[in-house]
Amino acid sequence: MGRLRISLLGPSAVVLDGKPVEDLNWSKVRALLAYLAVEADRPHRRETLSALLWPDYPERSARTNLRNALSALRKAIGDRETASPSLLVTRETIQFDAASDGWVDATAFEELASAQDATAAQLERAIALYHGPFLDGFSVEDSPPFEDWAFGVRERLEQQFSTALQALVAHHERSEERR
């Protein structure tokens, strides 16, 4: 598993070295972590992230808020004290390092659920990871761009869950026919 475990399916939770991370009280810090963890396939420009989370703020204020949120996030997940940080941070971009020892349930779910010719065991593991809708009960009301992104992810994952359930039923029906 990883030293950092991020659960975003159902109620969100973050665990570091087996202990719940309690320092993610600010919703924008949690939103930043969720976005970076799910969109780990590329670096994200700071101005894009600040516009995502603080769309109604002047650019300078939004970038300051992003810096503060990033600092709080890095402190909460112990990213500065480890040889293998979960975040790749430059002056211009921020990215969740998919090669780090961090684990994200939504990513693991998608990999298993969307596997070509997934086995029944893979589908069962995917279904077991799905503890509810993406970021269930979490919102950032003053950030419509973030809410739109979260809604899109939620819809995509719910569709993958439904497809995985249907595929698992089909697997079981085929195995019953063979008996």
Side-chain angles (χ1 to χ4, degrees):
M1 291 284 159
R3 128 186 143 72
L4 177 65
R5 294 179 52 83
I6 303 167
S7 299
L8 303 171
L9 296 172
S12 62
V14 179
V15 175
L16 179 64
D17 295 327
K19 297 177 185 154
V21 175
E22 304 292 340
D23 299 339
L24 294 174
N25 299 336
W26 190 24
S27 65
K28 301 289 177 99
V29 174
R30 292 173 61 201
L32 178 61
L33 177 59
Y35 184 83
L36 292 171
V38 171
E39 303 292 338
D41 61 333
R42 66 193 180 285
H44 302 278
R45 299 195 57 79
R46 286 176 181 252
E47 58 267 15
T48 303
L49 294 170
S50 59
L52 175 76
L53 296 170
W54 294 275
D56 296 331
Y57 284 60
E59 184 178 345
R60 184 181 202 126
S61 296
R63 296 236 355 185
T64 297
N65 287 341
L66 176 63
R67 256 190 322 278
N68 293 336
L70 178 60
S71 178
L73 174 58
R74 292 180 81 189
K75 181 179 179 188
I77 64 172
D79 218 42
R80 293 185 177 156
E81 296 86 35
T82 181
S84 175
S86 297
L87 300 176
L88 303 172
V89 179
T90 71
R91 288 180 57 85
E92 298 299 320
T93 64
I94 306 168
Q95 180 178 9
F96 186 84
D97 185 1
S100 72
D101 61 358
W103 179 84
V104 182
D105 66 347
T107 302
F109 167 79
E110 279 195 286
E111 288 171 1
L112 290 165
S114 65
Q116 204 66 331
D117 298 322
T119 65
Q122 287 173 308
L123 293 169
E124 287 170 356
R125 284 196 309 271
I127 291 165
L129 288 172
Y130 195 90
H131 293 120
F134 179 72
L135 294 177
D136 194 23
F138 176 78
S139 68
V140 183
E141 293 175 9
D142 63 344
S143 180
F146 178 83
E147 289 298 313
D148 290 345
W149 169 80
F151 178 79
V153 172
R154 188 174 302 118
E155 291 290 309
R156 182 181 80 230
L157 295 176
E158 285 176 0
Q159 180 60 48
Q160 286 178 328
F161 180 67
S162 176
T163 301
L165 283 173
Q166 292 169 1
L168 184 60
V169 167
H171 269 287
H172 288 303
E173 285 175 346
R174 284 192 300 276
S175 65
E176 284 294 316
E177 289 173 1
R178 291 183 203 139
R179 289 185 188 189

